Amino acid sequence: MAVLTIRDALNQALREEIIRDENVFIMGEEVAEYDGAYKVTRGLWKEFGDKRVVDTPITELGFAAVGVGAAMAGLRPVIEFMTFNFSILAADQIINHAAKMRYMSGGQFKVPIVFRGPNGSAYQVSSQHSQALEAFYANFPGLKVVMPSTPADAKGLLKSAIRDDNPVVFLEQERMYGIKGEVPEDDDFTIPLGVADVKREGTDCTIVARSMTVPLAMQAAEQMQKDFGVSVEVVDPRTIKPLDIDTIVASVKKTNRLIVVEESHAFASVGAEISHQVAEHAFDYLDAPVKRISCAEAPMPYAKNLEELALPDVPKIIAAIKEVCYL
Amino acid sequence: MRFYHYPFSKNHFCTIRCISLIILDRQSDNFYSNCGAEDLILPKTATRQTTETPKNSTNGAAAKTVSNTKNNSGLTDKVNRKEAQTENVSRKKSQTNSIKRIEPALLKEMLYQMVLGRYFEQKCAEVYRIGKIGGFCHLYIGQEAVAIGTMMAIREDDLVITAYRDHVQAMVKGIPPEEVMAELYGKAGGNVGGKGGSMHMFDAARGFFGGHGIVGGQIGVGTGMAYAQKYKGTDGVTLCFFGEAAVNQGMFHESLNMAALWKLPCIYICENNQYGMGTSQTRAMSISSVAKKAEAYGIANEFVDGMDVLAVREATERAIERARKDSLPTLLEIRCYRFMGHSMSDPGKYRTSDEIKKYQERDPIVLFRESLTDAKIISDKDYSEIEARAKVAVEKALKFADESPLPDEKELFTDVYA
């Protein structure tokens, strides 16, 4: 297995899918000549040219719509948002058009399209550039929502997303593009959507984490093992919709404690949904109230100290583990 | 309160007298003037302004405006009643010339489709009133020349997308009236099994891409359909319909920019019926020429009389050639008028009955019928037969819709994901 960054794993997935299927093309701002704002599409325009890697004007609503129309007419567009904050401009196309087309057409049309790009916070980019939008998109039937946390997951899930016949919102994380890990080299390596991964096995407490909060949860788990001998299980759903609640419930039934760590705001979040579903399916197994660690209920500030305060971190997770384990 | 209005009846809409219309003079876009109740905003026959994009232009910036009109002074919308009568005469003359170039069988079929669309929509209004159709229901009465003039000029493999006033477009693309009516009834036999209703007709096999309810949303989707046609190397074209109110959405401008930039075979058809719901175009659009906006993007454009089905057809043919041969977009502003309210729940207090009546005097079906009669393509008997055929088709549709079962309850959860 090769060791790759998440950035390069995504790049490899895109490259392999462009080669595999002539209907796959990438479209977005700066994806071609500039090599991508975050270099995820590095080298692809040089290799495949204007037809397969398409620079757009800054016109998110417009090029998202072009993607939807092209997907309805038989292509498989991968639409890059430079960051998902800008996808809000295109939300009408993602929510009102892509998500509903199959249903409204009585199953006649499919919209095989991937909307991808970084979601969540970066480094001191303030309020309009630091939003985690998974709960927003996951609320709408018709969309799938994917959030990888490792290079292998990033590659395998992106390939599945591109091959999927549904619109997929594929949420990356800017802080994570440089994270390295082993990635299978097989051209046909895919990870099915809707299957969670237990990133660390444990017996005393379950943490459900996704995207950026997975490495934080892993660090906190190691720390708790070392300092207190507490065995923490870390479950990464990887796909937010459809959600693999079975794996989460099975873990909670084993550990009897649940903490959800997320980068989005807490109100009406994915964490709220998970905690509801666990209450529904494993209420009698819980030995402590479900804890959530989320982004502070305020727009993201610029100042470094305030930004750090707003986001989940290892000490906050450790404090939560101690709380649910009554330590 | 629901308001019902039948296009051939005399008494409709409460009369609001002495409303002055603020008209934007097309000759000078920043000049506004008031005109009295006798004046109308009317499209003029043979008034057509075209901007051609040079074929070898890389960015369309060198687009030049050419004029197809003999009467170049006629770019104004202001037409008084007397002028309107002169207009009708000159329009008939122009139709007579066009008729010679088209197969009689096709002309008859065009007339039939217009009459079918009219009867179908009239019946919709009727059955809506007795609760057979629910939700929103936007009728096409008065605008028939647009759908028939444009869509009967394309090939079967060409694609069409439109907004929510979509019943007639759906039928012209080949969806049987039974399926459209059953969809309106929310029945299993409907075009999309009862999931879409009035606003969401679709037919993947026939290239009908919907039926969309968000004003302007479909303009970008249509642009993407044309993008796919070009990507695949076909010579297919996309007809992308929208109302003039959608022109004020960002999507219109984003789409035209991309279509020009990437040279997409998309024909943008603005059905300018002059009202976005109850807001007249002059109250909503700073520069009233929609066609002219294409020039900002170097896109060929025409201002077309939407009461004249043959003028619409000819403009569409020019646009099709541009799209098919040179993969270039066109914007057609087709000026028309809806004889009914925006939807079935529209009380229609924003227009005078006088205004509506005067447009009805220019009814596209009446005009086309008279032209075909004058040219001896049809006799009165032929027209009666066309009417009878349309009535039978609509009655059959109503019967089918009535008898079709409701969707099975399990359908609530089908087609959510592929």
Side-chain angles (χ1 to χ4, degrees), chain A residues 22 51 59 62 73 103 108 143 166, chain B residues 204 217 231-232 254 412 417-418:
Chain A
E22 62 178 10
K51 184 173 179 186
T59 188
Y103 198 78
Q108 293 187 58
L143 294 178
N166 297 287
Chain B
Y231 185 100
K232 290 177 182 169
E254 297 191 31
L412 176 61
Y417 290 96

Side-chain angles (χ1 to χ4, degrees), chain B residues 239-251:
Chain B
L239 297 190
C240 179
F241 292 91
F242 48 92
E244 87 289 344
V247 169
N248 297 324
Q249 291 275 28
M251 183 62 101

Side-chain angles (χ1 to χ4, degrees), chain B residues 70-139:
Chain B
K70 286 172 193 160
N71 175 15
N72 219 355
S73 64
L75 282 177
T76 175
D77 287 337
K78 283 189 297 178
V79 180
N80 65 32
R81 191 165 252 178
K82 203 172 169 191
E83 283 173 327
Q85 284 159 1
T86 323
E87 263 300 297
N88 274 343
V89 174
S90 77
R91 195 145 29 128
K92 255 184 219 159
K93 214 174 182 178
S94 121
Q95 284 214 335
T96 309
N97 288 331
S98 304
I99 282 167
K100 291 175 193 155
R101 294 193 289 270
I102 305 172
E103 282 292 311
L106 176 60
L107 291 165
K108 282 186 208 166
E109 184 58 20
M110 288 170 74
L111 182 61
Y112 168 69
Q113 289 291 339
M114 290 173 80
V115 172
L116 173 66
R118 177 72 56 98
Y119 278 134
F120 187 92
E121 298 288 68
Q122 284 175 342
K123 270 293 175 201
C124 285
E126 208 177 300
V127 295
Y128 190 93
R129 184 173 43 188
I130 54 171
K132 298 235 179 193
I133 299 173
F136 297 131
C137 187
H138 310 87
L139 302 181

